[in-house]
Amino acid sequence: MIKKVLVANRGEIAVRIMRSCRELGILSVGVYSEADRKAMHVRYADEAYCIGPPPSRESYLDIEKIISVAKSSGADAIHPGYGFLSENAAFSQRCKDEGIIFIGPSAYAISTMGDKITARQTMISAGVPVVPGTTEKVRDEEMVIRIVEEIGLPVMIKASAGGGGKGMRLVKEQGELVTSYRRAKSEALSAFGDDSVYVEKYIESPHHIEFQILADRQGTVIHLFERECSIQRRHQKVIEETPSPLMTPDLRKRMGETAVAAAKAVNYEGAGTIEFIVNDNLEFYFLEMNTRLQVEHPVTERVVGVDLVKEQIRIANGLPLSFTQEELRQNGHAIQCRIYAEDPDNNFIPQPGVIRHITVPLGLGVRYDGYVYEGYEIPMYYDPLISKLISWGKTREESIARMKRALFEYKITGVKNSIKFLERIMDTPDFLEGKYNTHFIEKNDKFLFRPKLCGTECEDMAIITCFMDYLGKLERIQPQQYSDELGSNWKDFGRKRNVLRL
Ligand code: MV4
């Protein structure tokens, strides 16, 4: 049985994984780069080792260093988290060869799903619907023209080694087809060292809905229902929720069964996610499989009542899943907001820097997965995710109300962040009605990027005005007259903000 886990990651997910280890009585080993000496995962771990300079290539992605720390610390397993080495087939294989348990799928499953052309072929053989398009690598320009004659425009040309939106190209007109094909190939070669591309019919205004699955070594595969992930910006998810407002019981049943079939097709082991694209007619197609624990896993944990990291460790120990499909139910509604250190009003440029003050929201129905503290400096080398805020409610309405309440309580100073942007999403009619697809952010830019000067902005102005008034009063009185009664009256101004509207 696993007694000590090396967590080959940083940030909130490293802390998240170590928390489950602690509950299981398993020791955790942290690894960190020189930029992360003061990071929370280093403090939380039972022991921690520096593995190199700040750039990921020389630290969190350095397989040799991580294997060597695992051996010298006596860790019997490695959890890769998400990103970094989590979907690296060579790393999974290397752990196996070294006699270290990789808490994740086999190299075979990772590489089959990592190569999108092979994944499509495997899914077709398993009877999983894929987007109409090529079943093999596009060999030449003649072939790309022939395929488009068959399936019609518009199409997407995608890199086989890509994924998650990297190496994609939309073609709307015949005239741009060959140039787009050539560019897609050369971009794929420089980005991934592999110029294989495939073609899919373009699905207009799709929903992105994914299914969480768990598979044990005994061959049992179950799904833990869906997550709606259509609210994205440049292929970066912003909000995830479960259940999906689009879902019907019948669609859920069919997609769940399909997700299980997809995982079975690669003899999957561990936690994974099947991504689907769903059109307005509720037709669904396999997009890709993520062979790792995902950023948005907490919404599933909250609604289904399962600790996914504990199940991953159970499975890695060779134990069967601790529940059956029939025992699983969706209970209530959960929403996750990702809070980034970035400036939403300035093209979301990352904002590394020192957290000067932080007030974390808590209370009934709120989960907070974070890792920063006052005085901590968010490094510029990694993903600028500060935290994830998860709300739960009996209904979607209650879950939204809790999220709004939690975002209201959440205060961060020192670095610009996306809290206000998330609050604006929570007030957008399309979101409140649950009527949105992957175009949500562009479609609602008026709500999200051009806030009227009222509400919170006006409150800020009221604070400044009253503070100036207060300073003026201080100047006019004797020091011995200072008293609490002289307190700021900004909230009275805030209540009258309709008067202040510009
Ligand atoms: C598509 C598509 C439309 N048609 N494929 C983006 C991420 C990657 N996993 C695949 N993506 C898409 N593939 C076809 N054939 C539209 C997208 C897409 C998208 C998908 C999910 C969530 C957000 C998205 C935003 C833009 C485009």
Side-chain angles (χ1 to χ4, degrees), residues 116 120 131-132 154-158 162-166 168 170 198-209 229-237 275-277 285-288 290 437-439 442:
K116 308 303 168 196
R120 270 172 72 82
V131 185
V155 297
M156 286 201 104
I157 303 178
K158 300 185 177 184
K166 277 178 275 168
M168 294 190 338
L170 172 61
Y198 62 106
V199 176
E200 280 181 2
K201 176 84 186 162
Y202 178 63
I203 310 291
E204 316 258 358
S205 311
H207 290 255
H208 171 132
I209 299 181
C229 303
S230 297
I231 302 188
Q232 310 203 353
R233 211 203 121 255
R234 301 217 183 129
H235 306 300
Q236 176 99 271
K237 292 167 189 153
E275 279 185 22
F276 295 102
I277 201 164
Y285 307 98
F286 169 88
L287 255 195
E288 47 195 71
N290 300 310
N437 58 37
T438 50
H439 300 303
E442 308 112 77

